[in-house]
Amino acid sequence: MIMSLLSSYGNTKKTTTKVDNFDYRVEQFADLQILRYRVHDFDQLPLKQKELIYFLSQGALQGRDILFDQNGKYNLTIRRLLEAVYTNYAGDKKDTNFVNMETYLKRVWFSNGIHHHYGSEKFIPGFTVEFFKGAIEKTDPTKLPLEKGQTVTQLCDEVFPVIFDPKIMPKRVNQVDGEDLILTSASNYYEGVTQKEAEDFYNAMKNPNDSTPISYGLNSRLVKENGKIFEKVWKVGGLYSSAIDKIVYWLNKAEKVAENDAQKAVIAKLIEYYKTGDLKTFDDYSILWVKDLNSRVDFTNGFTETYGDPLGLKASWESIVNFKDLEATKRTETISANAKWFEDHSPVAKKFKKEDVKGVSAKVITAAILAGDLYPSTAIGINLPNSNWIRAHHGSKSVTIGNLTDAYNRAAHGNGFLEEFAYSKAEIEMNNKYADLTGDVHTDLHECLGHGSGKLLPGVDPDALKAYGSTIEEARADLFGLYYLPDKKLQELGVVPDEDAYKAEYYTYMMNGLMTQLVRIQLGNSVEESHMRNRQLIARWAFEKGAADKVVELVKKGGKTYVRINDYKKLRVLFGKLLAEIQRIKSEGDLAAARDLVETYAVKVDPALHAEVLERYKKLNLAPYKGFLNPVYQAVTNKDGKITDVKVSYEEGYAEQMLRYGKEYSTLPNRNE
Ligand code: ZN
């Protein structure tokens, strides 16, 4: 169904006031909920921009297999094996084993592999070895992902331990301090090397006097073969070549319909980078990309974020194609235009501040396609590039993804969560009134100002905080936003409506960091993921430091624990203090202090509170994680094959989309070595 979007065109209140019948909720299984997002205003774009989005979205979908392989070397084989059994199964589909295998496959699709997308622990299959073996044996062998000369038994012997044995590849990314993080992580970024060997390899490459260092190791697997350690680069003619070839094919088409010369140059440089694998070219591309501010359509496509590598060097593949939401962008432009004021007035010590904050661009975008590490689980804000020196010299681009946030909010409305966990009616009303807006503003401040603020002291290694770097960086950006939310400046700028609005975000943040985000963790586990660590770090630290004044309390009511904030103003002061300290740690590269903060506040979980939160959450029957299906784009062509229009539709189901992607966008071999 292609709905008319005319009603929302030019509506300054955006979508939050609009009544419509779009179904945002698709399905729910395990701990996951699948949502749909709407590409508002796509139909109003000129044909050339629709074509550009179409070509870029094809290029985005072609990278899907790369991420599967990066997340674990057996993932492609396992996905294909499961799909073959699933689509050819002739037995009883109500059988518990089959139902549980279907759930398992849906989780593999969602996580782009056999480990949880967020917690990174391996899934426990709810079906038996015997069932799976039997089902495989009944499947036409030509449909199975068999290597040349491999028998069905050999295939089973290869992947069954990986699927069923909890001791084999138990974690995708292991962050446990003191263990060999590479040998204990299942992600496929290193082969045959220890953490020490990898660290030595990259330390030897670094020149401390280089003020414009490339992102060492970003686009390769580090391997040891015949005693020699070297990189296998992901590029045309290198590792993942067959997928990258296809990406380049679509980028070539996109280049021809670029909106302007600046955008054309960006695409051309990206193609050059994919062909050469040269990280200097990647930096050149990043600089061109960050400077292209006038195009309506924008995209990222490549090896981008390093959360999947325990050492934080190697980037997982991802892509997003989007276009600017012109109305909503006014808010973030207002914030960015005042970047210098915010930098000057922050509680950070002067020597750690940027003298000249520039190039912080910000916009609200409408996502048109999500792919790789942004699909189905995705971000609601992005700030790129990641290279510190490029950010310092050329600025960075910040986006908040308006149509995704909107879909989250709409899907969550009235689901009972707040009613269960908020302390009283007052907090619920406050949240209903302000939380959608203040959540958005916090994201804007985090992305537009937080990540771009502050500076490293001369000579400080940007990777000095090692495994703690991501958590500290996210905490820094979050705190910058938290500190400024109550500021009069935001009311003056018309971003926040009044002096009470910020309390909704403060309350939600503390409730989340102290309690409710624990719904995402299994009982007995600690906090691993860096964004979650960051939130607990901030909330626990503020809770403890404000304990004497009872700034924030955990109180019992009817046997249940609630967060109560007694003094919002003092809480702001605490956020400011922590921001100053976190910026100092980042600026000085103080690894010991980073480790101390993270290990003290961010990792450990109170088991009694954790059990209580899980119990209460379970009764609500909600999924803690959400992800999105993509819309389907169809190019309409005339008899000469020329594209005359691009149609967007939203009818595809979850399994349907995943199976289609597995057919249409899957070019890599089972094993990539
Ligand atoms: Zn961030």
Side-chain angles (χ1 to χ4, degrees):
M1 102 209 101
I2 299 166
M3 303 173 94
S4 165
L5 301 175
L6 279 170
S7 60
S8 68
Y9 193 63
N11 178 353
T12 53
K13 286 252 159 65
K14 254 192 89 207
T15 56
T16 37
T17 53
K18 208 171 67 219
V19 179
D20 65 56
N21 299 314
F22 189 85
D23 196 359
Y24 290 89
R25 286 174 271 217
V26 180
E27 64 173 285
Q28 194 171 325
F29 51 87
D31 55 356
L32 307 169
Q33 185 182 21
I34 306 297
L35 307 175
R36 240 185 262 284
Y37 62 95
R38 250 172 102 167
V39 190
H40 306 282
D41 295 348
F42 181 80
D43 291 345
Q44 274 82 30
L45 295 174
L47 176 60
K48 205 174 161 195
Q49 290 180 11
K50 286 185 185 174
E51 267 187 284
L52 178 60
I53 288 171
Y54 176 72
F55 294 145
L56 290 171
S57 70
Q58 294 296 314
L61 296 174
Q62 291 291 355
R64 179 169 179 253
D65 281 359
I66 296 175
L67 181 69
F68 268 85
D69 192 72
Q70 289 181 313
N71 282 343
K73 62 180 169 185
Y74 300 102
N75 281 339
L76 285 169
T77 309
I78 292 171
R79 186 190 81 201
R80 287 165 178 159
L81 180 59
L82 287 160
E83 287 175 353
V85 172
Y86 177 68
T87 51
N88 294 287
Y89 188 73
D92 178 9
K93 294 194 175 172
K94 294 211 169 68
D95 177 79
T96 311
N97 273 307
F98 181 82
V99 171
N100 289 345
M101 187 198 75
E102 182 178 30
T103 302
Y104 182 85
L105 173 57
K106 286 181 173 180
R107 299 182 78 185
V108 168
W109 283 331
F110 192 95
S111 285
N112 297 284
I114 59 169
H115 298 87
H116 196 277
H117 72 288
Y118 210 80
S120 118
E121 72 281 1
K122 193 164 85 172
F123 303 141
I124 299 160
F127 52 101
T128 64
V129 173
E130 295 70 34
F131 161 80
F132 198 40
K133 187 104 202 271
I136 293 169
E137 281 164 354
K138 287 194 196 90
T139 306
D140 174 359
T142 63
K143 304 265 199 296
L144 297 174
L146 292 163
E147 294 299 299
K148 206 163 180 248
Q150 193 180 36
T151 65
V152 172
T153 306
Q154 285 167 336
L155 173 64
C156 293
D157 288 348
E158 183 180 45
V159 297
F160 275 31
V162 181
I163 296 173
F164 291 103
D165 186 342
K167 289 192 285 297
I168 292 176
M169 303 176 106
K171 301 225 45 166
R172 180 167 53 83
V173 190
N174 181 29
Q175 299 280 20
V176 176
D177 195 26
E179 295 182 6
D180 186 309
L181 301 183
I182 288 182
L183 297 182
T184 55
S185 295
S187 57
N188 196 15
Y189 296 111
Y190 304 87
E191 185 67 48
V193 294
T194 64
Q195 181 178 352
K196 170 97 176 42
E197 284 171 327
E199 282 171 353
D200 289 349
F201 182 88
Y202 288 110
N203 283 336
M205 276 187 177
K206 285 181 190 169
N207 172 1
N209 301 317
D210 184 355
S211 59
T212 61
I214 57 168
S215 302
Y216 292 102
L218 189 77
N219 66 337
S220 64
R221 184 187 299 158
L222 189 68
V223 302
K224 188 172 180 179
E225 285 176 8
N226 304 318
K228 204 169 157 280
I229 297 176
F230 62 99
E231 291 181 321
K232 289 188 175 172
V233 178
W234 308 321
K235 60 170 184 170
V236 172
L239 211 49
Y240 304 142
S241 188
S242 54
I244 296 173
D245 276 340
K246 293 273 185 190
I247 295 170
V248 168
Y249 169 85
W250 289 106
L251 288 175
N252 272 315
K253 284 186 176 285
E255 189 190 344
K256 292 191 180 71
V257 293
E259 287 174 63
N260 50 54
D261 288 347
Q263 190 178 54
K264 205 179 172 66
V266 170
I267 301 172
K269 193 55 89 176
L270 179 59
I271 293 170
E272 185 190 332
Y273 163 60
Y274 271 134
K275 286 182 174 168
T276 60
D278 179 12
L279 287 169
K280 172 72 178 62
T281 305
F282 177 65
D283 284 349
D284 294 342
Y285 152 76
S286 297
I287 293 164
L288 289 174
W289 179 79
V290 89
K291 288 183 172 166
D292 174 22
L293 299 174
N294 296 320
S295 307
R296 174 103 191 252
V297 176
D298 203 356
F299 74 103
T300 65
N301 180 310
F303 305 104
T304 311
E305 301 288 357
T306 58
Y307 303 110
D309 171 11
L311 300 190
L313 297 173
K314 304 197 169 287
S316 59
W317 191 92
E318 69 179 39
S319 182
I320 177 172
V321 182
N322 62 80
F323 56 98
K324 199 188 276 187
D325 177 336
L326 301 175
E327 280 301 323
T329 296
K330 281 182 186 156
R331 183 183 70 220
T332 55
E333 281 176 352
T334 303
I335 290 171
S336 289
N338 290 277
K340 173 126 178 76
W341 187 92
F342 287 103
E343 184 77 353
D344 290 349
H345 291 79
S346 91
V348 162
K350 194 157 184 296
K351 62 179 169 176
F352 305 137
K353 287 183 183 179
K354 274 203 185 99
E355 293 80 20
D356 186 18
V357 197
K358 64 179 172 186
V360 184
S361 77
K363 58 183 178 178
V364 179
I365 59 171
T366 300
I369 206 89
L370 305 167
D373 224 353
L374 291 170
Y375 170 84
S377 173
T378 195
I380 50 165
I382 302 175
N383 181 302
L384 292 170
N386 285 326
S387 164
N388 277 302
W389 73 264
I390 296 179
R391 301 168 70 86
H393 291 223
H394 303 280
S396 59
K397 252 196 244 182
S398 282
V399 299
T400 52
I401 312 171
N403 60 333
L404 298 187
T405 312
D406 185 51
Y408 277 125
N409 290 341
R410 283 161 171 278
H413 190 76
N415 67 7
F417 183 83
L418 205 54
E419 289 73 10
E420 173 60 36
F421 288 103
Y423 175 68
S424 73
K425 264 213 162 71
E427 281 82 4
I428 295 169
E429 280 165 13
M430 184 171 80
N431 268 269
N432 285 337
K433 187 170 176 195
Y434 295 117
D436 285 0
L437 173 75
T438 52
D440 281 356
V441 174
H442 189 201
T443 308
D444 292 344
L445 292 166
H446 175 117
E447 298 293 344
C448 306
L449 303 177
H451 281 304
S453 73
K455 66 171 182 192
L456 300 182
L457 291 185
V460 171
D461 178 354
D463 300 326
L465 303 180
K466 304 216 157 103
Y468 301 101
S470 304
T471 300
I472 293 294
E473 177 56 22
E474 291 311 318
R476 200 173 72 88
D478 259 2
L479 284 162
F480 202 93
L482 287 168
Y483 177 76
Y484 275 116
L485 266 175
D487 205 283
K488 279 210 164 50
K489 185 76 176 174
L490 289 180
Q491 292 160 56
E492 281 165 34
L493 294 173
V495 170
V496 167
D498 57 50
E499 59 180 15
D500 289 323
Y502 79 95
K503 292 175 184 169
E505 179 64 10
Y506 272 31
Y507 191 79
T508 316
Y509 198 91
M510 291 303 287
M511 181 179 82
N512 188 40
L514 289 174
M515 286 178 56
T516 50
Q517 73 166 354
L518 295 176
V519 302
R520 298 174 156 202
I521 297 176
Q522 280 179 23
L523 201 59
N525 290 358
S526 51
V527 185
E528 297 275 349
E529 198 276 337
S530 50
H531 292 80
M532 284 182 78
R533 282 187 167 187
N534 134 49
R535 289 184 214 117
Q536 181 170 310
L537 193 170
I538 292 171
R540 280 268 154 206
W541 188 93
F543 174 72
E544 196 181 297
K545 300 292 169 184
D549 295 341
K550 294 197 171 163
V551 176
V552 181
E553 287 180 287
L554 286 170
V555 295
K556 289 267 187 193
K557 213 169 53 168
K560 294 176 178 177
T561 312
Y562 296 89
V563 172
R564 186 169 70 192
I565 300 182
N566 299 312
D567 193 332
Y568 282 90
K569 293 214 161 77
K570 276 191 182 152
L571 184 55
R572 185 196 184 193
V573 175
L574 289 168
F575 287 150
K577 274 190 184 150
L578 185 57
L579 172 59
E581 172 61 2
I582 294 257
Q583 182 61 57
R584 181 199 68 74
I585 289 170
K586 170 104 181 174
S587 293
E588 294 179 353
D590 188 345
L591 174 61
R595 174 184 287 136
D596 190 46
L597 264 187
V598 174
E599 296 293 343
T600 307
Y601 296 102
V603 181
K604 278 166 266 164
V605 176
D606 171 357
L609 180 62
H610 191 186
E612 181 200 319
V613 169
L614 288 176
E615 191 54 40
R616 288 162 69 185
Y617 187 75
K618 206 173 149 196
K619 292 199 180 116
L620 297 173
N621 206 15
L622 301 173
Y625 302 98
K626 287 151 187 36
F628 288 99
L629 280 191
N630 278 318
V632 181
Y633 293 93
Q634 201 164 12
V636 181
T637 50
N638 65 15
K639 60 180 185 327
D640 306 322
K642 198 176 159 336
I643 294 177
T644 55
D645 197 7
V646 178
K647 296 278 184 202
V648 59
S649 63
Y650 305 95
E651 284 128 62
E652 201 166 34
Y654 178 64
E656 211 184 336
Q657 180 157 99
M658 291 297 179
L659 289 169
R660 182 171 67 85
Y661 284 1
K663 279 202 195 90
E664 294 178 6
Y665 304 100
S666 185
T667 52
L668 290 186
N670 297 319
R671 295 288 298 275
N672 294 271
E673 270 147 16

